[in-house]
Amino acid sequence: MERLGAGPTSGGRTTLEDPAHTSADGSVAPTGAPGERRDDEEEAAPPGLIRHVLQGIPLRRRVGILVSVGGGLLVALIAAAVFFTAQRALYDQLDESLVQRATVAASGDLADPSLLLRVSSDALAAGEVRVAIVTAGGEFVTLRGNSPPLGAAEVSAARRSPPTSVRTGVIDGEVYRVVAVYAGEDRALVLAQELDPTRRTLSKLAVVLLVAGASGVLLAALTGVAIARAGLRPVERLISATERVARTGDLRPIPVSGGDEIARLTSSFNAMLAALSSSIDRQRRLVADAGHELRTPLTSLRTNLELLMASEQASHRPDAPRLSEQDRAELQADLRAQVDELATLIGDVVELARDDPPEVAAEPLDLADVVERALDRARRRGVAENVTFDVDLASCEVTGDANALERAALNLLDNAAKWSPPGGRVRVTLRAGVAPERPGTAVLEVADAGPGIADEELDLVFERFYRSLDARTMSGSGLGLSIVAQVAERHHGGVSASRAPEGGALLRFWIPRS
């Protein structure tokens, strides 16, 4: 029987182990002053730096990197959870086995020191188990060369405070799992088993998890690249389409497949292309029609100017024919009329060429006052000198552009006066919602007693530059009613043409009331 000492001894005596410096798996806890920063601690990278780095990477690679990093972190977390769970399970299984064996041995003859000394040390070594008996006074009995790590925890077990202890100890450079159980008569039976087999099992598991984790990270990277390519392929089609539009001006729509957000984005882009194509087509038609309409007054203007210049040159030669004063006056009046017609045509073209409404703030106004001003202007024009206007205007509060509404009303009045016979009457009516199919609107009706509009032309009179066969012999550009339709559209209203009870044309213009 020997007593536990404070220093190293030979044979069966061992030093007192401090369990506070040994972890459950045999690793040594780090030492150092509290609050002291370790050298291997790194400060977290600022989020701004990560954002800056990602902004310099193409979107497809960015998505692939993020998916790969996310998959890699998930695989690493799963591998770490598996490893620590297996480690805890193996240590718990070993502790349970040692405690059970020590309890059975303590209830038998092995707790007798005299019997323990007769047990062959080779037999215990073959089982990788070391056995000792410790008393409450710190004395112990062990086999020479087969002593387990002993310390204060085993003495406490002999004193039954507590009656069972489990810890990790080191002796002769080997790590053991040490279990002590109370064996009666102020003695404790100590069993210690090497941890090398368990550690080798955990090492193999770590290698397997490392290989599986690396494979998982690689698979996550490949999956991320595949997801990025598949998910961003519609976006790449959109990019190619925009580059094609910018390079060639080709506005063909992009094929749409599926019903996800990318498909909706593609549909929206196709709608934008269709609107852009429609706008370009309208501009082209406007330019072509304007060029055709401008050619006639410009040709006539050039002819009259050349004739006037020729007469001026002929006045310096006595034998050359000369224009009479009446012909010269008629020629000059014709030139002034052609210039006025050309100016009006150019103004109408500029007005219709504007796809967006002019930046004029809408204001509340009475449409009856606007029509009255248009009537005053129409009466002062030569075309309305031989026409009488029958006016019936009701007050209608609307919100809109007063100048645009006045021009629309004036165009309707000019059109009716132009087609009315000499001494004819033009009926002008303004009512609030006179048409049952258009409640809540202010409706302006202008009816004349002229030849009227053919049924097949009722839907065409508001088209740009449209002129019937009878109208081609009269003055005008074919843009007046188009401007009326444009003003109605900008005010969320509409126009229509039909036959009037007087036998002529009945034109309606309506916009919402305030």
Side-chain angles (χ1 to χ4, degrees), residues 274-297:
L276 181 59
S277 177
S278 176
S279 176
I280 292 176
D281 290 341
R282 289 198 304 269
Q283 293 296 331
R284 287 175 177 172
R285 289 197 305 269
L286 178 63
V287 171
D289 294 341
H292 175 74
E293 292 295 330
L294 287 171
R295 188 176 297 113
T296 300

Side-chain angles (χ1 to χ4, degrees), residues 50-97:
I50 299 176
R51 192 183 303 112
H52 177 72
V53 172
L54 289 178
Q55 286 179 350
I57 301 176
L59 180 60
R60 184 173 64 181
R61 295 183 182 178
R62 196 185 313 171
V63 173
I65 291 174
L66 292 177
V67 173
S68 302
V69 171
L73 290 177
L74 180 61
V75 171
L77 289 175
I78 294 176
V82 170
F83 179 81
F84 287 112
T85 302
Q87 183 188 51
R88 186 72 267 165
L90 288 176
Y91 277 107
D92 290 344
Q93 183 180 4
L94 178 61
D95 293 344
E96 183 180 355
S97 175

Side-chain angles (χ1 to χ4, degrees), residues 289-340:
D289 294 341
H292 175 74
E293 292 295 330
L294 287 171
R295 188 176 297 113
T296 300
L298 286 176
T299 302
S300 178
L301 186 62
R302 180 179 180 181
T303 302
N304 290 335
L305 285 175
E306 289 177 350
L307 181 59
L308 186 61
M309 291 174 60
S311 66
E312 291 293 336
Q313 293 176 359
S315 64
H316 299 289
R317 297 197 302 268
D319 55 343
R322 298 182 181 180
L323 288 176
S324 63
E325 292 299 329
Q326 182 180 358
D327 292 339
R328 183 183 297 273
E330 292 177 356
L331 183 59
Q332 292 176 351
D334 195 11
L335 284 173
R336 283 193 296 268
Q338 290 171 354
V339 170
D340 293 340

Side-chain angles (χ1 to χ4, degrees), residues 156-368:
S156 299
R159 296 172 182 173
R160 303 184 69 179
S161 57
T164 302
S165 70
V166 180
R167 68 182 182 91
T168 300
V170 180
I171 187 171
D172 298 333
E174 299 292 336
V175 182
Y176 286 84
R177 197 66 172 165
V178 183
V179 172
V181 297
Y182 179 73
E185 299 179 3
D186 294 333
R187 294 196 302 265
L189 179 63
V190 181
L191 294 183
Q193 184 170 345
E194 289 188 39
L195 288 177
D196 282 347
T198 304
R199 288 189 167 186
R200 285 194 295 270
T201 301
L202 291 175
S203 298
K204 293 179 181 179
L205 178 62
V207 172
V208 172
L209 291 176
L210 182 61
V211 174
S215 302
V217 171
L218 179 60
L219 181 61
L222 296 177
T223 304
V225 173
I227 291 175
R229 288 182 177 177
L232 297 179
R233 189 173 293 115
V235 179
E236 291 180 354
R237 287 203 301 267
L238 286 177
I239 294 174
S240 301
T242 55
E243 293 176 348
R244 172 174 55 82
V245 170
R247 185 177 61 256
T248 64
D250 186 4
L251 302 179
R252 289 176 299 174
I254 306 171
V256 181
S257 59
D260 55 2
E261 290 78 2
I262 300 297
R264 291 174 56 192
L265 178 61
T266 305
S267 299
S268 301
F269 188 77
N270 287 339
M272 183 189 67
L273 290 179
L276 181 59
S277 177
S278 176
S279 176
I280 292 176
D281 290 341
R282 289 198 304 269
Q283 293 296 331
R284 287 175 177 172
R285 289 197 305 269
L286 178 63
V287 171
D289 294 341
H292 175 74
E293 292 295 330
L294 287 171
R295 188 176 297 113
T296 300
L298 286 176
T299 302
S300 178
L301 186 62
R302 180 179 180 181
T303 302
N304 290 335
L305 285 175
E306 289 177 350
L307 181 59
L308 186 61
M309 291 174 60
S311 66
E312 291 293 336
Q313 293 176 359
S315 64
H316 299 289
R317 297 197 302 268
D319 55 343
R322 298 182 181 180
L323 288 176
S324 63
E325 292 299 329
Q326 182 180 358
D327 292 339
R328 183 183 297 273
E330 292 177 356
L331 183 59
Q332 292 176 351
D334 195 11
L335 284 173
R336 283 193 296 268
Q338 290 171 354
V339 170
D340 293 340
E341 182 180 356
L342 186 61
T344 302
L345 177 59
I346 292 175
D348 292 343
V349 170
V350 171
E351 179 70 21
L352 288 174
R354 304 174 67 176
D355 283 339
D356 296 329
E359 297 181 359
V360 177
E363 57 181 347
L365 48 89
D366 191 346
L367 189 57

